[in-house]
Amino acid sequence: MQLQSMYQDIILDHYRNPHGRGLRDPYEAEVHHVNPTCGDEVTLRVHLEGDTIADVSYEGMGCSISQASVSAMYDLVIGKDVTTALGTGEQFMRLMQSKGDTAVAEELEDDLEDAVAFAGVSKYPARVKCALMSWMALKDASARALSTSEEKS
């Protein structure tokens, strides 16, 4: 039970003290994603330097899960190349599909850092979409940013 409490504290900390929040320039792509199930929203910008994610900036509104997830994602992807960042997103997806399997959370703990705190969310299918929204926005924005970069070359 202590682990669950610690995870809740991490999520609440990211919600109350979001990392990377605020839309910034420059950026190559901006996307707006909405979770129609609950009304969560995020506008996310990606700035690339080559194929490295130099910045992710965002504004959003919604539940603590959706807003904390984008903050934890920010910490994991800045400075990473797009392929690595999207691979981390796939690991997060695996965590969200684990249905609370603690073995999966333990396996992914080092790679997902604070984002492993969302393991408990995977037990609640309606909340999984909240946690995944920002990762889907990152995937969308990264593809658009890479496409824009290729067009300029």
Side-chain angles (χ1 to χ4, degrees), residues 23-99:
L23 295 173
R24 292 181 291 280
D25 292 323
Y27 63 95
E28 284 69 44
E30 177 180 286
V31 298
H32 182 77
H33 282 223
V34 176
N35 179 350
T37 307
C38 61
D40 293 341
E41 295 185 33
V42 67
T43 299
L44 185 134
R45 292 178 176 174
V46 170
H47 173 53
L48 300 179
E49 291 178 359
D51 68 347
T52 299
I53 298 176
D55 192 25
V56 172
S57 62
Y58 65 92
E59 282 294 337
M61 57 184 246
C63 69
S64 61
I65 299 295
S66 70
Q67 299 307 295
S69 181
V70 69
S71 173
M73 179 196 73
Y74 170 86
D75 290 345
L76 287 169
V77 302
I78 298 301
K80 303 285 183 354
D81 64 79
V82 172
T83 302
T84 301
L86 295 181
T88 302
E90 290 300 318
Q91 290 176 313
F92 189 76
M93 173 73 83
R94 185 169 161 233
L95 181 71
M96 290 297 96
Q97 293 171 337
S98 73
K99 295 182 169 67

Side-chain angles (χ1 to χ4, degrees), residues 86-127:
L86 295 181
T88 302
E90 290 300 318
Q91 290 176 313
F92 189 76
M93 173 73 83
R94 185 169 161 233
L95 181 71
M96 290 297 96
Q97 293 171 337
S98 73
K99 295 182 169 67
D101 184 341
T102 56
V104 173
E106 288 171 7
E107 180 185 335
L108 297 173
E109 189 171 15
D110 289 341
D111 293 332
L112 292 180
E113 299 173 12
D114 279 0
V116 79
F118 294 86
V121 173
S122 69
K123 296 177 193 175
Y124 307 99
R127 303 310 303 269

